[in-house]
Amino acid sequence: MTAPTCRLCGADLADTFVDLGMSPPCESYVAADQLDRGEVFYPLHVRICGQCLLVQLPAYIAAEDIFSDYAYFSSYSDSWVAHAKAFVEDAADRLSLGEDSFVVEVASNDGYLLQHVAQRGIRALGIEPAANVAEAAVEKGVPTEVLFLGEGTGADVAGRHGAADLVVANNVFAHVPDIVDFAKGLRRLVADDGTVTIEIPHLMRLIEGSEYDTIYHEHYSYLSLLTTQRVLAEAGLAVVDVEELPTHGGSLRTWSMPVESARPPSDAVAAVLAAEEAAGLHSLEGHAGFAEAVARVRNDLVEFLVERSRRGETVVAYGAPGKGNTLLNHCGIRGDLVSFAVDRNPFKQGKFLPGTHIPIRAPEALAEARPDYVLIMPWNLRDEIADQLHVVRDWGGKLVVALPRLEIL
Ligand SMILES: [Zn+2]
């Protein structure tokens, strides 16, 4: 295999950001009748481009293989639906969206966001590659096209539906292998005086919080505001404003416009760029040290689990999100250290976690098993989940998170 090249600038990717070894695709939950079969593991070797500084995972797995039958339904997270509703209200005010407006969301999932747009009487269109998820959106009354966005499909959709006043791409930008073609697709969808908003996990927060479980095969690019600007510029889009959000351990929401109509960037853009530069993100050397932080998290978690096992105490995982699988596989954790996982998503219940083969049950299994410890996998929702799990304390159980550092709550 020849050395991978940068998906933004084409340079050879000679530098490593962090190498997490081999892992199966994190959303490939295993059915009971497949447990005796082999499972394919792919590298999780994250590189950084020495030329443009884009931190990236080579496309070891094609997006079509991951997203065409996706198990993730956004509406299963209460806080995520609330986040989407607040976003729609903010965007409608900021851009004065009314009944004549047109909003397109890319990776619209099950309509968790566009349902709020439609409820305001604003024309909405979803674009979603996973047919099973798109079907759920249509049932909510959100028209949805099943396709992957690129420059060609973007032009096609705009030709049939018209250019959009607002194009929303929340938590998809980092999940497309050909990020430049995707950005060009966004430009094709948006009107010449329209707006594109993108939400991305912020690389600066990932590094600060040692959030390495947010690294998985579907997450192809790990973006700073600087590298996001560079990608969007390739598509003729300019960032005019940015917000810092607490979601996904720390995200950025950028507001961009076509360069020909873009106003000068806000003070917030300059402030985030300055913070990134101070954190070392505008130089190659500034990205070093992350691999050591990852090793510390792994050592602490494995030590904790082995110690519980020695004492005969039980640990159960709460939540079976894709991101948890990076952590469990990297740490070599199996069913002997974490008995089972519970998840609210019925699609996952009765299946097994990829690689580790830890069984997934319904949340009710928790009260039956009364484990000594409950390891909260989606640590970014720890407060919401700790509220839901107050019953664990009734039998003397304790809640634990592994990130950003091991903590018994
Ligand atoms: Zn590059």
Side-chain angles (χ1 to χ4, degrees):
M1 187 182 160
T2 53
T5 53
C6 175
R7 62 174 53 103
L8 171 52
C9 76
D12 284 342
L13 293 173
D15 295 289
T16 291
F17 178 63
V18 67
D19 187 352
L20 299 176
M22 303 288 284
S23 217
C26 73
E27 294 286 345
S28 56
Y29 296 90
V30 180
D33 62 1
Q34 295 171 336
L35 284 175
D36 289 336
R37 296 192 197 160
E39 207 174 347
V40 183
F41 282 53
Y42 297 87
L44 266 182
H45 186 173
V46 187
R47 322 291 177 114
I48 177 167
C49 176
Q51 294 298 315
C52 73
L53 299 179
L54 181 64
V55 174
Q56 56 197 288
L57 196 58
Y60 296 113
I61 314 175
E64 287 79 1
D65 293 340
I66 295 168
F67 293 110
S68 297
D69 186 24
Y70 205 41
Y72 187 74
F73 288 77
S74 297
S75 295
Y76 284 113
S77 168
D78 297 339
S79 64
W80 196 237
V81 174
H83 173 77
K85 186 165 192 276
F87 165 78
V88 169
E89 284 165 8
D90 176 45
D93 287 349
R94 180 189 274 252
L95 305 174
S96 305
L97 298 177
E99 287 177 4
D100 297 336
S101 305
F102 180 36
V103 176
V104 174
E105 188 190 14
V106 186
S108 49
N109 202 272
D110 59 6
Y112 73 102
L113 186 144
L114 287 177
Q115 63 184 348
H116 301 300
V117 173
Q119 279 162 16
R120 297 174 74 99
I122 300 168
R123 188 159 66 99
L125 177 71
I127 294 178
E128 167 57 49
N132 60 330
V133 181
E135 217 169 277
V138 172
E139 281 166 21
K140 286 191 178 81
V142 176
T144 303
E145 299 246 356
V146 179
L147 53 85
F148 280 94
L149 180 66
E151 187 171 18
T153 53
D156 175 54
V157 170
R160 286 185 288 114
H161 297 273
D165 300 292
L166 171 64
V167 177
V168 182
N170 287 350
N171 297 297
V172 56
F173 200 60
H175 293 78
V176 286
D178 194 345
I179 197 169
V180 173
D181 185 52
F182 182 87
K184 288 176 178 171
L186 294 173
R187 177 63 189 92
R188 291 301 191 116
L189 288 174
V190 74
D192 290 343
D193 59 351
T195 299
V196 175
T197 74
I198 292 168
E199 286 184 26
I200 44 162
H202 193 185
L203 177 65
M204 188 168 80
R205 302 298 173 204
L206 185 156
I207 293 173
E208 276 175 3
S210 308
E211 299 167 1
Y212 82 96
D213 63 338
T214 59
I215 296 169
Y216 45 87
H217 296 104
E218 296 90 323
H219 193 171
Y220 296 104
S221 300
Y222 300 81
L223 295 146
S224 62
L225 181 55
L226 180 74
T227 51
T228 301
Q229 279 182 321
R230 287 176 174 167
V231 176
L232 291 173
E234 291 290 316
L237 293 165
V239 176
V240 297
D241 198 11
V242 65
E243 298 168 72
E244 293 184 272
L245 310 175
T247 46
H248 292 292
S251 299
L252 294 179
R253 176 188 292 153
T254 63
W255 300 79
S256 307
M257 298 181 75
V259 282
E260 53 269 36
S261 60
R263 56 183 182 274
S266 69
D267 292 346
V269 172
V272 171
L273 287 174
E276 287 182 350
E277 190 170 12
L281 291 194
H282 294 187
S283 74
L284 186 60
E285 307 74 48
H287 293 75
F290 183 68
E292 279 173 44
V294 165
R296 175 181 54 75
V297 169
R298 182 203 56 207
N299 292 346
D300 288 351
L301 177 60
V302 172
E303 193 173 47
F304 169 81
L305 291 172
V306 169
E307 186 55 32
R308 298 315 111 177
S309 173
R310 284 206 175 103
R311 293 187 197 170
E313 295 176 328
T314 51
V315 182
V316 164
Y318 185 89
K323 55 192 287 182
N325 290 316
T326 293
L327 183 73
L328 295 170
N329 276 295
H330 176 247
C331 293
I333 295 164
R334 300 289 183 271
D336 50 352
L337 293 179
V338 172
S339 320
F340 61 89
V342 297
D343 199 280
R344 291 170 66 192
N345 185 344
F347 185 90
K348 297 177 183 174
Q349 293 165 9
K351 295 198 166 117
F352 296 78
L353 293 177
T356 65
H357 288 195
I358 293 170
I360 307 167
R361 299 183 183 158
E364 293 72 41
L366 215 50
E368 285 163 34
R370 297 182 161 230
D372 299 299
Y373 292 89
V374 178
L375 177 63
I376 299 177
M377 301 309 291
W379 47 265
N380 53 312
L381 303 175
R382 61 186 265 176
D383 293 337
E384 174 187 345
I385 291 169
D387 278 349
Q388 290 168 13
L389 291 182
H390 59 88
V391 65
V392 171
R393 301 189 195 281
D394 292 350
W395 66 75
K398 295 192 174 89
L399 305 177
V400 189
V401 290
L403 288 163
R405 65 193 65 77
L406 189 85
E407 196 179 337
I408 299 172
L409 305 182

